[in-house]
């Protein structure tokens, strides 16, 4: 059987949590005697029952923004072919308000934070084994810090709540004001630093570890060092982020999985590169549906996917040639009329394109072909893709079955070692310039896919460009592009910009390739407000102490 995964939403209902977990528990450390109900007293006097509660919190971790309307659809990496998709109907056209919110909204993380606070309070006061308590409390504090990191990167400062709120006993005191941005950040990194030593180097599958705590800390430090939070470019912030990511590297626990093409496949769950993941149980209501929602829609005359993710030419053009040069370099050998020849390995691993083979069939996008995958530049009017590309990355043919099939148990990877290497390279380059350690980190990522090392003697600016290109390609379709655009303050330039695709026609039987605009023509991003999302109006209505983010109206 598969590893245990739980997906608990909304209110904490102990009976349902315990029943659902007992039904699907398989790993030894999660096996307990099934119970139909557990009293509060019994719950916190039995390690097995308390573990069930904590497992429910792990199950509450959000995976991707959406498997269908994927996180990269909210950026310049890809777009949905459907006009009604949330990314196109709300976010990229700039109409998100406190009352009309997008899938990027994360305020519900406070539900998960409350669960963490309950566990920490109850277990901390219990008479359970001290060694067990030390480990499990560190896990719960990690999860709470992780949930807070999502809130902080989305809204800025938020209320920091570490006690269990109870309106019956506390009354209006349960409504807390927002902490400052700096206070919220400091809480997260201090928590990670405090618990790292209490977590194991190699945890149980899907659980928090020392590496996960340091990686979360390093990610928040990188975000805090970036232009959005660091307008004066304080080098000490970059150095701090570099040092923490270097700690992860120096653990010698993680390494790059040798096969880039299959590193995210179900068969390679929990491999040496994966640091922290959201787990799934294929064949149940908590299965992973990625392969039925994102790739090319019609194969062999039958619809096999909802075709929800259409990569842009902007992303495709970031893939280098096999010789390691960008396609804009005159020495690269790039031919605009043979654009898919001699590209780097990741292009072939990540992208389905015209003429490539997928699931045993040739992919056909060219205009006039009559294919149901033929490019549609009519704003979704024909229900065909608005780009001549689909993702191949992490898509598995055995689960290539149309829609929310919930068949796969593949992990959704939240942090992996390649990101640590690239975060270190970025932070160290900004702190001191492109020293040997910067080259070593980025060249490890390149070497895995047979790209040559970067040339010696690069300037800091040249290295910055190379690192950000490497990050965009290596981490595409992993929900990393949106927070990168936000922290680097590139969103105001790249989200409202026109995105493109490749239109392919035939002239005298020969394919002709032309880059053309696609997608919405009214893409918007207001730098005065959109670097933070609005707090939902429902939260403001409940708690009048909350101050709305600038530009979204008053309370």
């Amino acid at each position: 059987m598969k590893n245990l995964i739980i997906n608990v939403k909304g209110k904490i209902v102990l009976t349902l949590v315990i029943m659902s977990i007992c039904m699907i528990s398989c790993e030894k450390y999660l096996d307990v005697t099934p119970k139909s109900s557990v009293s509060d007293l019994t719950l916190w006097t039995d390690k097995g029952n308390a573990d069930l509660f904590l497992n429910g919190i792990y199950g509450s971790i959000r995976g991707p923004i959406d498997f269908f309307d994927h996180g990269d659809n909210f950026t310049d990496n890809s777009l949905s072919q459907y006009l009604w998709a949330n990314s196109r109907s709300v976010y990229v056209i700039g109409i998100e308000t406190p009352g009309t919110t997008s899938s990027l909204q994360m305020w519900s993380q406070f539900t998960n934070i409350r669960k963490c606070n309950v566990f920490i309070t109850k277990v901390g006061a219990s008479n359970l084994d001290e060694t067990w308590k030390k480990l499990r409390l560190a896990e719960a504090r990690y999860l709470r810090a992780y949930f807070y990191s999502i809130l902080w990167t989305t809204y800025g400062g938020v209320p920091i709540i570490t006690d269990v709120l109870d309106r019956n006993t506390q009354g209006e005191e349960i409504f807390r004001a927002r902490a400052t941005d700096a206070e919220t950040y400091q809480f997260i990194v201090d928590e990670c630093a405090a618990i790292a030593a209490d977590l194991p180097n190699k945890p149980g599958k899907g659980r928090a570890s020392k590496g996960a705590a340091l990686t979360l800390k390093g990610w928040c430090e990188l975000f805090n060092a970036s232009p959005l939070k660091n307008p004066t470019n304080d080098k000490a912030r970059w150095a701090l982020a570099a040092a923490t990511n270097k700690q992860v590297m120096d653990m010698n626990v993680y390494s790059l999985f040798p096969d880039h093409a299959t590193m995210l496949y179900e068969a390679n769950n929990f491999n040496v590169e994966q640091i922290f993941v959201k787990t799934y149980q294929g064949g149940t209501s908590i299965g992973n549906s990625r392969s039925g929602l994102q790739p090319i829609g019609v194969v062999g005359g039958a619809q096999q996917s909802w075709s929800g993710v259409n990569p842009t030419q902007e992303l495709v053009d970031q893939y280098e040639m096999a010789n390691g040069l960008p396609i804009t370099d005159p020495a690269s050998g790039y031919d605009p009329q043979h654009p898919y020849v001699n590209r780097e390995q990741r292009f072939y691993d990540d992208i389905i394109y015209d003429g490539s083979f997928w699931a045993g069939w040739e992919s056909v996008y060219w205009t006039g072909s009559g294919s149901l995958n033929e490019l549609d530049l009519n704003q979704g009017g024909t229900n065909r893709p608005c780009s001549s590309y689909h993702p191949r990355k992490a898509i598995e043919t055995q689960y290539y079955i149309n829609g929310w099939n919930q068949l796969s148990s593949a992990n959704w990877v939240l942090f992996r070692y390649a990101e640590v290497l690239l975060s270190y390279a970025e932070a160290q380059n900004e702190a001191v310039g492109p020293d040997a350690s910067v080259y070593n980190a980025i060249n490890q990522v390149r070497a895995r896919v047979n790209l040559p090392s970067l040339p010696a003697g690069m300037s800091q600016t040249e290295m910055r460009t190379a690192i950000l290109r490497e990050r965009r390609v290596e981490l595409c379709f992993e929900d990393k592009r949106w927070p990168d655009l936000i922290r680097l303050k590139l969103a105001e330039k790249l989200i409202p910009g026109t995105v493109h695709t490749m239109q392919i026609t035939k002239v005298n039987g020969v394919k002709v390739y032309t880059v053309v605009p696609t997608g919405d023509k009214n893409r918007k991003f207001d730098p005065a407000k959109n670097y933070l999302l609005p707090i939902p109006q429902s939260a403001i209505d409940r708690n009048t102490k909350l101050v709305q983010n600038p530009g979204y109206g008053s309370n």
Side-chain angles (χ1 to χ4, degrees), residues 480-533:
K480 301 295 182 178
R481 181 64 174 168
W482 184 74
D484 278 352
L485 292 181
I486 295 298
R487 70 179 177 87
L488 294 166
K489 291 203 74 176
L490 295 173
E492 62 195 75
K493 174 183 177 182
L494 297 177
I495 289 179
T498 301
V499 293
H500 298 80
T501 190
M502 187 71 77
Q503 185 171 38
I504 307 165
T505 57
K506 279 191 176 181
V507 178
N508 297 324
V510 178
K511 289 182 179 178
V512 177
Y513 297 82
T514 307
V515 175
V516 296
T518 189
D520 304 285
K521 294 178 174 61
N522 58 338
R523 293 167 64 98
K524 297 175 184 175
F525 187 94
D526 183 351
K529 66 177 183 178
N530 291 149
Y531 279 109
L532 297 174
L533 289 190

Side-chain angles (χ1 to χ4, degrees), residues 114-227:
R114 174 178 169 79
K115 297 175 189 178
C116 293
N117 288 339
V118 169
F119 184 89
I120 292 166
T121 300
K122 295 293 188 178
V123 168
S126 75
N127 294 319
L128 293 169
D129 175 73
E130 290 299 320
T131 301
W132 177 89
K133 283 173 61 175
K134 184 177 182 180
L135 172 60
R136 293 297 191 250
L137 287 172
E139 289 183 53
R141 289 174 69 183
Y142 170 80
L143 291 170
R144 183 174 65 185
Y146 175 73
F147 298 136
Y148 265 113
S149 75
I150 296 171
L151 291 167
W152 173 64
T153 56
T154 305
Y155 304 103
V158 296
I160 299 175
I161 303 169
T162 58
D163 56 333
V164 180
L165 303 181
D166 183 349
R167 191 164 191 175
N168 291 329
T169 59
Q170 295 173 289
E172 295 301 303
E173 186 187 339
I174 67 170
F175 298 114
R176 309 287 171 84
R178 300 175 68 174
T180 66
D181 185 282
E183 289 168 342
T184 306
Y185 158 76
Q186 200 63 49
F187 172 78
I188 298 164
V189 297
D190 286 350
E191 283 289 280
C192 290
I195 62 176
D198 293 340
L199 292 167
N201 283 2
K202 296 183 177 180
K205 295 177 178 179
R207 304 199 84 100
S209 65
K210 178 180 179 180
L214 292 175
T215 301
L216 175 60
K217 181 173 182 283
W219 160 241
C220 290
E221 289 166 347
L222 185 74
F223 201 104
N224 198 53
S226 300

Side-chain angles (χ1 to χ4, degrees), residues 340 352-356 363-366 388-389 504 511 513:
Y340 311 134
I352 299 171
Y353 58 93
D354 185 76
S356 65
S363 304
V364 178
Y365 294 94
W366 60 273
S388 295
Y389 307 104
I504 307 165
K511 289 182 179 178
Y513 297 82

Side-chain angles (χ1 to χ4, degrees), residues 368-443:
S369 64
S371 166
L372 293 176
N373 303 307
E374 181 180 329
L375 174 66
D376 169 29
L377 294 175
N378 190 32
Q379 294 292 299
T382 61
N383 211 33
R384 297 196 310 266
C386 55
S387 164
S388 295
Y389 307 104
H390 281 94
R392 183 188 295 265
K393 185 178 187 178
I395 307 300
E396 301 189 58
T397 53
Q398 70 269 35
Y399 301 128
Y400 184 46
I401 298 172
N402 192 43
W404 291 93
N405 58 56
Q406 299 179 312
L407 293 175
S408 173
S409 295
N411 291 337
W412 176 260
V413 178
L414 298 163
F415 292 121
R416 60 183 177 94
Y417 188 59
E419 181 180 358
V420 171
L421 291 172
L422 294 173
S423 293
Y424 171 78
E426 181 183 348
Q428 183 72 356
N429 183 57
E430 296 299 334
V432 303
D435 65 11
S437 71
V438 173
Y439 276 92
N440 180 60
I442 190 172
N443 284 337

